[in-house]
C-alpha cells in the first residue's frame, strides 16, 4: 500500500474526473469532495399518519385532537424529520482506550461516546484515560455539569 494522507488533511477538495486534486478555478475541476471519517451520522424518522391532502395536513398540525381522530385506522408512514451529524474526533483517544479495554467494540464505543452528554463524556475520559482527563461519576464536577442524556438520566 502507498497511503497518502494529503486528502485526509484537506477535508474538502476539488478533483478532476480522474480523482486528481485540482484548484477550484481549474477548468478540469468537476467534483467537490468532502471527507469526515470521525463523524457520526444519525436520522430520525417520524412514524405516524401523514395525510396527503395539504389542507388536512395543515389542520392536523394545528389540532392534535383532529390528527388523532383522523389517524385512527390509517397506516403509519415514515417521514424524515431530523438528519444530524456530530463529530467525535475530540474523543479519539478515549474511544481507542474504550475499545482497547475490551469493554466495547469499536461500533459501541463510537455510538456511546457520540451520544453521551458532557458529563458522561468526562466520565468516560476519566475512566478510560486513567484519570488524565475528565472527572469521576458522582464527583462535584459531575454534579455541577448539570447535563443529562439517556446514559445518566435518573442517576
Ligand atoms: Zn449523560
Amino acid at each position: 500500500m502507498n497511503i497518502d494522507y494529503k486528502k485526509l488533511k484537506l477535508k474538502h477538495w476539488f478533483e478532476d474526473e480522474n480523482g486528481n486534486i485540482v484548484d477550484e478555478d481549474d477548468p478540469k475541476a468537476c467534483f467537490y469532495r468532502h471527507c469526515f471519517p470521525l463523524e457520526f451520522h444519525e436520522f430520525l424518522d417520524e412514524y405516524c399518519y401523514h395525510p396527503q391532502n395539504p389542507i388536512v395536513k395543515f389542520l392536523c398540525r394545528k389540532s392534535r385532537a383532529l390528527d388523532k381522530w383522523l389517524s385512527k385506522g390509517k397506516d403509519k408512514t415514515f417521514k424524515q424529520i431530523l438528519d444530524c451529524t456530530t463529530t467525535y474526533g475530540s474523543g479519539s483517544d478515549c474511544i481507542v482506550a474504550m475499545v482497547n479495554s475490551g469493554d466495547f467494540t469499536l461500533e459501541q464505543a463510537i455510538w456511546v461516546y457520540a451520544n453521551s452528554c458532557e458529563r458522561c463524556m468526562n466520565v468516560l475520559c476519566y475512566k478510560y484515560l486513567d484519570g488524565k482527563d475528565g472527572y469521576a461519576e458522582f464527583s462535584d464536577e459531575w454534579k455541577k455539569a448539570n447535563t443529562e442524556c439517556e446514559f445518566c438520566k435518573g442517576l
Side-chain angles (χ1 to χ4, degrees):
M1 290 176 78
N2 183 18
I3 300 172
D4 180 1
Y5 292 106
K6 192 169 18 171
K7 288 180 179 177
L8 179 63
K9 283 181 192 156
L10 289 173
K11 306 277 187 239
H12 311 272
W13 67 90
F14 290 89
E15 286 184 354
D16 64 16
E17 61 184 21
N18 296 315
N20 301 309
I21 298 172
V22 294
D23 286 332
E24 179 180 356
D25 302 333
D26 193 315
K28 291 182 287 195
C30 58
F31 298 111
Y32 185 39
R33 289 189 61 171
H34 313 271
C35 175
F36 307 104
L38 302 178
E39 193 169 82
F40 181 77
H41 196 182
E42 199 168 29
F43 306 93
L44 178 66
D45 292 343
E46 185 179 49
Y47 182 57
C48 62
Y49 168 60
H50 292 104
Q52 297 300 310
N53 183 313
I55 295 164
V56 175
K57 195 185 287 184
F58 174 78
L59 293 172
C60 283
R61 259 194 232 127
K62 293 287 176 197
S63 166
R64 197 80 187 130
L66 177 68
D67 180 70
K68 200 172 176 184
W69 182 75
L70 279 175
S71 66
K72 277 186 185 164
K74 302 275 191 338
D75 287 335
K76 289 180 173 182
T77 55
F78 297 99
K79 183 180 171 190
Q80 190 172 341
I81 56 172
L82 190 69
D83 177 353
C84 61
T85 57
T86 183
T87 59
Y88 52 86
S90 62
S92 295
D93 292 347
C94 183
I95 289 167
V96 169
M98 288 165 72
V99 174
N100 287 339
S101 74
D103 292 349
F104 302 89
T105 64
L106 178 60
E107 183 182 49
Q108 290 168 339
I110 291 169
W111 183 79
V112 168
Y113 193 88
N115 281 291
S116 290
C117 67
E118 184 196 316
R119 69 179 180 180
C120 285
M121 280 183 186
N122 275 290
V123 167
L124 290 167
C125 288
Y126 187 80
K127 182 177 180 183
Y128 292 99
L129 297 175
D130 301 321
K132 288 178 204 145
D133 198 4
Y135 44 77
E137 195 169 22
F138 309 117
S139 65
D140 288 344
E141 283 174 288
W142 184 85
K143 288 172 193 155
K144 260 192 261 171
N146 201 27
T147 59
E148 190 177 78
C149 67
E150 63 183 278
F151 304 132
C152 63
K153 193 183 262 183
L155 293 179

